[in-house]
Amino acid sequence: MAQHHSSLRDLPSITTLLDTQPLRSAAAEYGLQAATTAARVAVENLRQQILSNERGAEIPAAEELASRIAAEVTLRESNALKPVINATGILLHTGLGRAPLAENAVQAAAEAAAGYCNVELDLQSGQRTTRSQTVTGLLQELTGAEAAHVVNNNAAATALALAALASGREVIVSHGELIEIGGGFRLPDVIETFGARLRPVGTTNKTRVSDYERAISDQTGALLVVHPSNYAITGFTQSPPLEELARLAARHQIPLVHDIGSGALIDFQQFGCRSEPVAGESIAAGADMVLFSGDKLLGGPQAGIIIGRHTWMEPIHTHPLNRTMRVDKITLAALRETLKLYRTPAQALEEIPLLRMLSTPIEKLRSRGDQIVQQLHGQIDGWEIASRADEAFVGGGSTAQQAIPSWCAAITTAEVNVGQVAQQMRIGTPSVVPRVQQDELILNLHGVFSSQLQSVVDTVLRSYRLLCGSSN
Ligand SMILES: *Cc1c(COP(=O)(O)O)cnc(C)c1O
């Protein structure tokens, strides 16, 4: 008991801690409140340790405790949401926020954010209107669909479509398409969660129209076709053409829902990528409803886009879940400006960052790699850096396995672990996220904007000085 008291009495006060050098600089850098909160939490943790540990806990000296707290504050602040330079070679990196926005989309989003906008008001009549109205016309124009609706992401679009069309009924899906998208979003569970029943048909590799046909009954709510975006079934495979399924669905007056995932509005084979379903083609083939993401191949903000026939879209608009998935004005503003660029495909290729990156000739990437190596020449003794060919991936669950020819600057060194170098690059400002592959640190140039090259060079230099500077 006595020991408890003496230990508690040894705890430094918050004031004492804040007056130490490490916490004074932490407060200067990140604000007094961040430093104070961290100090309170640390002291409280020690107090709890002392109280629960009969032999008494070791109390570090105030200065030492303060530097530990300061290190924690720094670590936490370095994890704050901030811009990073994507040198991973994965262009649609979900961990890095997927598609960067076009300049006009950024401006529109900023304007929407800074003030008021007519997100749900018809300016002609002065009446309340539906939220997606500012983008539905464009989506119809670009895809040929009769109607359109926008929610938070494609997972929400899938959930809403199932709930609105098939609640209490069966959803017929091929065994080969019962996918897990990630983060616990498994199609069979989603179907159950939103009140529908899964009716799997066919086999993993082969499913025929007749399999769907045999499963149709008065219990059927929808036929669902899901594009295999993050996996591939190869070998002896078969799945029916969408046109045939559309005819089958129409004959039975059941909606055919097509989850195309990545949401290409143009043909991606022009970039040397595998063919990806194009939203408008799916509508033309007869799908009643097509679902896709806004921040994958479309190159816009995070959103889930639902397009389709009036009759089947009506229950979507009026479903109570709709409100829980509502997009905000900032997203709508960015989406509208992104879609507008597709009216002139050449302009889309020029201004939508994802499309611009994909259409950058490899010689250009190569000369950027050469430039980085040249600038670092003679400044990073003991580190080898080479400009060489590499592979990039579109990513984001689209054309997942397919590599596209790319270029990088690759660093190897015997002086430090390249994993440590990568960490230094990530936690600094500007933050650069490279790829570590075997014993190499790869700075892939496909996702690095030309305006960011100097920052990449500076980041390599900064990391070098921090890790190897004193010994050279
Ligand atoms: C990516 C993807 C989803 C999920 O989309 P989010 O916008 O990430 O919610 C759903 N279905 C398919 C086929 C996908 O590729």
Side-chain angles (χ1 to χ4, degrees):
M1 227 35 214
Q3 207 163 7
H4 283 174
H5 284 114
S6 65
S7 295
L8 283 175
R9 218 180 304 129
D10 293 342
L11 279 173
S13 73
I14 305 296
T15 322
T16 310
L17 286 170
L18 288 175
D19 203 32
T20 59
Q21 195 274 324
L23 278 179
R24 272 203 309 268
S25 34
E29 177 116 22
Y30 307 113
L32 183 59
Q33 183 162 349
T36 312
T37 307
R40 286 216 180 97
V41 170
V43 170
E44 182 54 30
N45 282 347
L46 274 179
R47 189 193 313 280
Q48 292 305 326
Q49 270 176 34
I50 293 163
L51 290 174
S52 64
N53 181 349
E54 280 195 8
R55 298 207 316 243
E58 289 248 354
I59 308 230
E63 192 78 14
E64 194 202 322
L65 180 59
S67 25
R68 275 194 231 163
I69 298 167
E72 256 169 60
V73 175
T74 307
L75 188 69
R76 193 164 339 124
E77 293 298 319
S78 74
N79 266 334
L81 190 63
K82 63 178 187 182
V84 306
I85 295 173
N86 177 8
T88 61
I90 299 164
L91 302 186
L92 295 174
H93 194 301
T94 302
L96 300 182
R98 292 194 183 154
L101 294 178
E103 195 48 47
N104 65 334
V106 172
Q107 269 173 30
E111 276 170 25
Y116 298 105
C117 65
N118 59 323
V119 66
E120 261 184 49
L121 189 77
D122 182 302
L123 294 178
Q124 299 246 344
S125 65
Q127 302 291 306
R128 189 83 177 260
T129 174
T130 52
R131 179 163 283 244
S132 322
Q133 43 110 17
T134 46
V135 294
T136 47
L138 268 167
L139 284 166
Q140 287 158 232
E141 177 191 321
L142 294 168
T143 64
E146 288 177 11
H149 184 65
V150 183
V151 290
N152 256 330
N153 58 12
N154 195 25
T158 309
L160 183 58
L162 292 170
L165 299 178
S167 181
R169 293 164 160 273
E170 290 181 353
V171 178
I172 302 179
V173 192
S174 163
H175 270 293
E177 296 171 2
L178 290 173
I179 62 169
E180 174 178 305
I181 292 159
F185 196 87
R186 310 179 106 184
L187 196 56
D189 302 339
V190 174
I191 290 174
E192 302 282 323
T193 302
F194 289 91
R197 292 193 303 278
L198 172 65
R199 179 82 158 86
V201 294
T203 63
T204 303
N205 59 328
K206 289 198 178 195
T207 304
R208 303 180 177 84
V209 176
S210 55
D211 293 319
Y212 289 90
E213 189 158 22
R214 268 200 305 278
I216 291 177
S217 71
D218 58 359
Q219 289 299 301
T220 309
L223 302 187
L224 176 62
V225 174
V226 185
H227 177 63
S229 44
N230 57 0
Y231 69 105
I233 296 174
T234 56
F236 292 101
T237 65
Q238 184 179 345
S239 54
L242 204 62
E243 288 85 352
E244 285 187 37
L245 279 183
R247 277 198 290 275
L248 176 70
R251 227 172 28 244
H252 292 271
Q253 295 183 326
I254 296 163
L256 171 65
V257 180
H258 191 195
D259 175 8
I260 62 171
S262 48
L265 293 182
I266 55 173
D267 186 359
F268 269 71
Q269 281 171 292
Q270 64 184 294
F271 307 117
C273 298
R274 191 181 65 179
S275 162
E276 276 284 314
V278 176
E281 287 175 13
S282 184
I283 290 289
D288 295 292
M289 194 175 277
V290 180
L291 318 172
F292 52 97
S293 301
D295 54 354
K296 291 187 183 170
L297 297 185
L298 195 149
Q302 181 189 302
I305 296 166
I306 309 177
I307 55 173
R309 288 187 214 284
H310 278 305
T311 34
W312 300 115
M313 292 294 285
E314 193 50 39
I316 296 271
H317 288 117
T318 52
H319 197 280
L321 272 179
N322 189 12
R323 175 70 183 253
T324 68
M325 305 166 173
R326 187 163 90 169
V327 273
D328 71 332
K329 58 178 182 173
I330 304 171
T331 302
L332 283 170
L335 182 59
R336 181 179 162 75
E337 292 308 311
T338 307
L339 290 171
K340 266 165 68 181
L341 293 170
Y342 281 96
R343 283 176 159 164
T344 319
Q347 202 185 2
L349 294 198
E350 187 65 27
E351 294 184 27
I352 295 176
L354 176 74
L355 305 185
R356 190 172 58 223
M357 290 169 189
L358 285 171
S359 41
T360 305
I362 190 135
E363 304 79 57
K364 218 172 218 174
L365 298 179
R366 177 187 194 141
S367 85
R368 290 176 194 168
D370 294 350
Q371 212 178 309
I372 289 179
V373 170
Q374 220 166 30
Q375 288 204 42
L376 289 168
H377 183 76
Q379 302 201 63
I380 47 172
D381 270 357
W383 289 15
E384 296 286 327
I385 181 161
S387 172
R388 68 156 174 80
D390 190 30
E391 288 179 335
F393 297 85
V394 178
S398 52
T399 53
Q401 304 89 339
Q402 197 205 12
I404 44 179
S406 186
W407 206 268
C408 73
I411 294 173
T412 50
T413 171
E415 294 194 5
V416 272
N417 183 324
V418 288
Q420 253 176 297
V421 181
Q423 187 194 40
Q424 251 339 303
M425 291 190 181
R426 289 193 305 266
I427 63 179
T429 305
S431 163
V432 175
V433 183
R435 189 170 89 230
V436 173
Q437 195 170 295
Q438 275 120 36
D439 293 326
E440 265 188 323
L441 182 130
I442 312 271
L443 295 160
N444 182 288
L445 296 164
H446 235 110
V448 177
F449 306 157
S450 52
S451 60
Q452 296 174 330
L453 285 182
Q454 191 56 50
S455 295
V456 171
V457 170
D458 295 344
T459 301
V460 173
L461 279 176
R462 185 190 65 212
S463 307
Y464 178 81
R465 289 198 196 105
L466 282 166
L467 294 167
C468 303
S470 51
S471 61
N472 282 270

Short mmCIF file of all heavy atoms in Angstrom, two decimals, residues 10-36:
data_model
loop_
_atom_site.label_atom_id
_atom_site.label_comp_id
_atom_site.label_asym_id
_atom_site.label_seq_id
_atom_site.Cartn_x
_atom_site.Cartn_y
_atom_site.Cartn_z
N ASP A 10 5.41 9.92 -7.29
CA ASP A 10 6.54 10.14 -8.20
C ASP A 10 6.12 10.52 -9.62
O ASP A 10 6.96 10.88 -10.44
CB ASP A 10 7.40 8.87 -8.29
CG ASP A 10 8.08 8.60 -6.97
OD1 ASP A 10 8.16 9.56 -6.15
OD2 ASP A 10 8.50 7.46 -6.75
N LEU A 11 4.83 10.38 -9.91
CA LEU A 11 4.38 10.71 -11.27
C LEU A 11 4.60 12.20 -11.55
O LEU A 11 4.22 13.05 -10.73
CB LEU A 11 2.88 10.41 -11.42
CG LEU A 11 2.48 8.96 -11.70
CD1 LEU A 11 0.96 8.82 -11.64
CD2 LEU A 11 3.00 8.51 -13.05
N PRO A 12 5.22 12.52 -12.68
CA PRO A 12 5.41 13.94 -12.97
C PRO A 12 4.06 14.61 -13.29
O PRO A 12 3.15 13.95 -13.76
CB PRO A 12 6.31 13.93 -14.20
CG PRO A 12 6.13 12.59 -14.82
CD PRO A 12 5.74 11.64 -13.73
N SER A 13 3.95 15.89 -13.01
CA SER A 13 2.71 16.60 -13.34
C SER A 13 2.70 16.91 -14.84
O SER A 13 3.75 16.92 -15.50
CB SER A 13 2.63 17.90 -12.56
OG SER A 13 3.54 18.83 -13.10
N ILE A 14 1.53 17.16 -15.34
CA ILE A 14 1.39 17.49 -16.76
C ILE A 14 2.19 18.76 -17.08
O ILE A 14 2.88 18.85 -18.09
CB ILE A 14 -0.10 17.70 -17.13
CG1 ILE A 14 -0.95 16.47 -16.73
CG2 ILE A 14 -0.27 17.99 -18.62
CD1 ILE A 14 -0.62 15.20 -17.46
N THR A 15 2.12 19.71 -16.15
CA THR A 15 2.86 20.97 -16.34
C THR A 15 4.36 20.72 -16.47
O THR A 15 5.02 21.28 -17.34
CB THR A 15 2.60 21.92 -15.16
OG1 THR A 15 1.24 21.78 -14.78
CG2 THR A 15 2.89 23.35 -15.53
N THR A 16 4.86 19.86 -15.59
CA THR A 16 6.29 19.54 -15.65
C THR A 16 6.64 18.93 -17.01
O THR A 16 7.63 19.30 -17.64
CB THR A 16 6.65 18.52 -14.54
OG1 THR A 16 6.15 18.99 -13.31
CG2 THR A 16 8.14 18.29 -14.48
N LEU A 17 5.79 17.99 -17.43
CA LEU A 17 6.07 17.32 -18.71
C LEU A 17 6.05 18.31 -19.87
O LEU A 17 6.93 18.28 -20.74
CB LEU A 17 5.04 16.21 -18.96
CG LEU A 17 5.21 14.94 -18.12
CD1 LEU A 17 4.01 14.02 -18.26
CD2 LEU A 17 6.49 14.20 -18.52
N LEU A 18 5.03 19.18 -19.86
CA LEU A 18 4.91 20.12 -20.98
C LEU A 18 6.06 21.12 -21.01
O LEU A 18 6.31 21.75 -22.03
CB LEU A 18 3.57 20.86 -20.89
CG LEU A 18 2.33 20.02 -21.22
CD1 LEU A 18 1.06 20.82 -20.97
CD2 LEU A 18 2.38 19.52 -22.66
N ASP A 19 6.76 21.23 -19.89
CA ASP A 19 7.85 22.19 -19.81
C ASP A 19 9.18 21.57 -20.26
O ASP A 19 10.20 22.25 -20.30
CB ASP A 19 7.96 22.73 -18.39
CG ASP A 19 8.65 24.07 -18.35
OD1 ASP A 19 8.48 24.83 -19.36
OD2 ASP A 19 9.37 24.35 -17.39
N THR A 20 9.16 20.30 -20.62
CA THR A 20 10.41 19.66 -21.09
C THR A 20 10.65 20.02 -22.56
O THR A 20 9.71 20.36 -23.28
CB THR A 20 10.31 18.12 -20.98
OG1 THR A 20 9.21 17.69 -21.78
CG2 THR A 20 10.14 17.67 -19.54
N GLN A 21 11.91 19.86 -22.95
CA GLN A 21 12.28 20.21 -24.33
C GLN A 21 11.51 19.39 -25.37
O GLN A 21 10.95 19.96 -26.31
CB GLN A 21 13.80 20.09 -24.49
CG GLN A 21 14.35 20.75 -25.73
CD GLN A 21 14.27 19.82 -26.92
OE1 GLN A 21 14.46 18.60 -26.78
NE2 GLN A 21 13.97 20.36 -28.09
N PRO A 22 11.44 18.03 -25.22
CA PRO A 22 10.75 17.25 -26.28
C PRO A 22 9.28 17.65 -26.45
O PRO A 22 8.81 17.77 -27.58
CB PRO A 22 10.83 15.80 -25.77
CG PRO A 22 11.85 15.78 -24.71
CD PRO A 22 11.99 17.15 -24.17
N LEU A 23 8.58 17.90 -25.34
CA LEU A 23 7.17 18.24 -25.48
C LEU A 23 6.96 19.69 -25.88
O LEU A 23 5.95 20.03 -26.50
CB LEU A 23 6.38 17.89 -24.22
CG LEU A 23 5.98 16.40 -24.17
CD1 LEU A 23 5.23 16.07 -22.89
CD2 LEU A 23 5.12 16.00 -25.37
N ARG A 24 7.93 20.55 -25.53
CA ARG A 24 7.81 21.93 -26.02
C ARG A 24 7.91 21.95 -27.54
O ARG A 24 7.12 22.61 -28.21
CB ARG A 24 8.90 22.83 -25.40
CG ARG A 24 8.47 23.44 -24.06
CD ARG A 24 9.25 24.72 -23.74
NE ARG A 24 10.69 24.54 -23.85
CZ ARG A 24 11.48 24.20 -22.83
NH1 ARG A 24 10.96 24.02 -21.63
NH2 ARG A 24 12.76 24.05 -23.02
N SER A 25 8.84 21.14 -28.10
CA SER A 25 8.91 21.17 -29.58
C SER A 25 7.73 20.43 -30.21
O SER A 25 7.27 20.82 -31.28
CB SER A 25 10.25 20.66 -30.12
OG SER A 25 10.78 19.66 -29.33
N ALA A 26 7.23 19.39 -29.54
CA ALA A 26 6.04 18.71 -30.08
C ALA A 26 4.86 19.67 -30.11
O ALA A 26 4.10 19.72 -31.09
CB ALA A 26 5.69 17.48 -29.25
N ALA A 27 4.72 20.48 -29.04
CA ALA A 27 3.62 21.44 -28.98
C ALA A 27 3.77 22.51 -30.04
O ALA A 27 2.80 22.95 -30.66
CB ALA A 27 3.55 22.07 -27.59
N ALA A 28 5.03 22.92 -30.27
CA ALA A 28 5.28 23.94 -31.30
C ALA A 28 4.90 23.43 -32.67
O ALA A 28 4.36 24.14 -33.50
CB ALA A 28 6.75 24.37 -31.26
N GLU A 29 5.17 22.15 -32.89
CA GLU A 29 4.92 21.56 -34.21
C GLU A 29 3.47 21.18 -34.42
O GLU A 29 2.89 21.43 -35.48
CB GLU A 29 5.82 20.32 -34.37
CG GLU A 29 5.61 19.58 -35.67
CD GLU A 29 6.86 19.61 -36.54
OE1 GLU A 29 7.94 19.82 -35.99
OE2 GLU A 29 6.72 19.44 -37.77
N TYR A 30 2.86 20.57 -33.41
CA TYR A 30 1.52 20.00 -33.62
C TYR A 30 0.44 20.66 -32.77
O TYR A 30 -0.72 20.24 -32.80
CB TYR A 30 1.52 18.49 -33.34
CG TYR A 30 2.57 17.75 -34.11
CD1 TYR A 30 3.65 17.14 -33.47
CD2 TYR A 30 2.50 17.67 -35.50
CE1 TYR A 30 4.63 16.48 -34.19
CE2 TYR A 30 3.48 17.00 -36.23
CZ TYR A 30 4.54 16.41 -35.56
OH TYR A 30 5.50 15.76 -36.28
N GLY A 31 0.79 21.66 -31.99
CA GLY A 31 -0.20 22.33 -31.16
C GLY A 31 -0.15 21.86 -29.72
O GLY A 31 0.14 20.69 -29.44
N LEU A 32 -0.46 22.79 -28.82
CA LEU A 32 -0.40 22.51 -27.38
C LEU A 32 -1.39 21.42 -26.99
O LEU A 32 -1.13 20.56 -26.17
CB LEU A 32 -0.67 23.80 -26.59
CG LEU A 32 -0.57 23.68 -25.08
CD1 LEU A 32 0.81 23.21 -24.65
CD2 LEU A 32 -0.90 25.02 -24.41
N GLN A 33 -2.56 21.46 -27.65
CA GLN A 33 -3.60 20.49 -27.26
C GLN A 33 -3.18 19.05 -27.54
O GLN A 33 -3.41 18.16 -26.72
CB GLN A 33 -4.90 20.79 -28.00
CG GLN A 33 -6.00 19.85 -27.56
CD GLN A 33 -7.37 20.39 -27.94
OE1 GLN A 33 -7.51 21.54 -28.35
NE2 GLN A 33 -8.37 19.57 -27.80
N ALA A 34 -2.54 18.84 -28.69
CA ALA A 34 -2.09 17.48 -29.03
C ALA A 34 -1.08 16.99 -28.00
O ALA A 34 -1.15 15.85 -27.53
CB ALA A 34 -1.48 17.47 -30.43
N ALA A 35 -0.14 17.88 -27.62
CA ALA A 35 0.88 17.51 -26.65
C ALA A 35 0.26 17.25 -25.27
O ALA A 35 0.60 16.28 -24.59
CB ALA A 35 1.93 18.62 -26.57
N THR A 36 -0.67 18.13 -24.86
CA THR A 36 -1.30 18.00 -23.54
C THR A 36 -2.10 16.69 -23.45
O THR A 36 -2.00 15.96 -22.47
CB THR A 36 -2.26 19.18 -23.27
OG1 THR A 36 -1.57 20.38 -23.59
CG2 THR A 36 -2.71 19.20 -21.84
#
